[in-house]
C-alpha cells in the first residue's frame, strides 16, 4: 500500500528534489515569534507535523496516548479549548502543538474526536513550492 511513497522518496533522492520538510510548510510561524511548544505536548506536535495527510482525525484516547496524560475536563466539554488561539483563555491548552504544526483543530465533542486540518492557504503554499 505504501509502495508509492517509497518510490516517491527514492525518486526525490535520485533527482535531488523533494517536497519541503514539514518545518518549512508550517503556517504557525510568525515573524518575531519563537515557536514554543509546551514540553508535554511535543509528542502531539511531532505526530501532526510528520503526517503527510491534509487531515488527521484522532480520538480523545489516541490524543491522550500521544500526550501521555489525560485531557482536561474543559477539552472534553468546551469547543473553545480546541479552537482558541488566545493563550490567556486556558493555560493548559496544547494549541501551540497543532498551530505550529500548521493545522487547525475541529473537535466533535459528542463523538470524542478531533480533526486536525491544514488550512487551505497552507495547502496552496506547499503545492506551489513543489
Amino acid at each position: 500500500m505504501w509502495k508509492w511513497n517509497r518510490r516517491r522518496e527514492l525518486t526525490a533522492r535520485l533527482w535531488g528534489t523533494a517536497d519541503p520538510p514539514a518545518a518549512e510548510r508550517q503556517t504557525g510561524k510568525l515573524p518575531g515569534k519563537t515557536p514554543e511548544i509546551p514540553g508535554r505536548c511535543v509528542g502531539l506536535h511531532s505526530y501532526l507535523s510528520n503526517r503527510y495527510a491534509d487531515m488527521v482525525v484522532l480520538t480523545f484516547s489516541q490524543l491522550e496516548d500521544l500526550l501521555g496524560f489525560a485531557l482536561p475536563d474543559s477539552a472534553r466539554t468546551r469547543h473553545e479549548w480546541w479552537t482558541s488561539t488566545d493563550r490567556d483563555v486556558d493555560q493548559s491548552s496544547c494549541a501551540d502543538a497543532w498551530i505550529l504544526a500548521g493545522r487547525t483543530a475541529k473537535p466533535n465533542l459528542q463523538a470524542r474526536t478531533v480533526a486536525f486540518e491544514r488550512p487551505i492557504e497552507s495547502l496552496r503554499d506547499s503545492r506551489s513550492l513543489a
Side-chain angles (χ1 to χ4, degrees):
M1 179 172 146
W2 293 100
K3 289 181 182 178
W4 65 270
N5 197 22
R6 279 191 235 125
R7 282 193 300 246
R8 183 178 154 274
E9 290 173 358
L10 182 59
T11 303
R13 276 191 231 135
L14 291 174
W15 290 95
T17 59
D19 287 344
E24 293 176 17
R25 293 191 309 253
Q26 294 175 354
T27 60
K29 290 186 176 179
L30 300 174
K33 178 184 177 190
T34 52
E36 295 177 17
I37 302 162
R40 60 198 184 115
C41 300
V42 170
L44 176 61
H45 175 264
S46 63
Y47 180 84
L48 292 174
S49 62
N50 291 322
R51 297 280 84 66
Y52 188 72
D54 295 331
M55 179 186 282
V56 177
V57 179
L58 297 171
T59 64
F60 285 178
S61 62
Q62 290 171 326
L63 281 164
E64 290 172 340
D65 288 343
L66 284 170
L67 293 170
F69 61 89
L71 290 170
D73 291 336
S74 57
R76 297 175 185 281
T77 58
R78 294 179 49 217
H79 191 266
E80 298 82 26
W81 193 90
W82 299 98
T83 58
S84 177
T85 57
D86 186 9
R87 290 177 182 230
D88 295 332
V89 171
D90 188 350
Q91 289 296 335
S92 64
S93 174
C94 288
D96 285 344
W98 56 84
I99 291 171
L100 293 174
R103 301 199 182 248
T104 58
K106 294 183 182 175
N108 183 338
L109 299 177
Q110 283 187 323
R112 299 173 54 113
T113 62
V114 182
F116 297 98
E117 263 186 301
R118 285 197 183 103
I120 292 173
E121 300 83 35
S122 174
L123 295 175
R124 286 188 196 134
D125 293 343
S126 67
R127 289 183 182 147
S128 67
L129 293 174

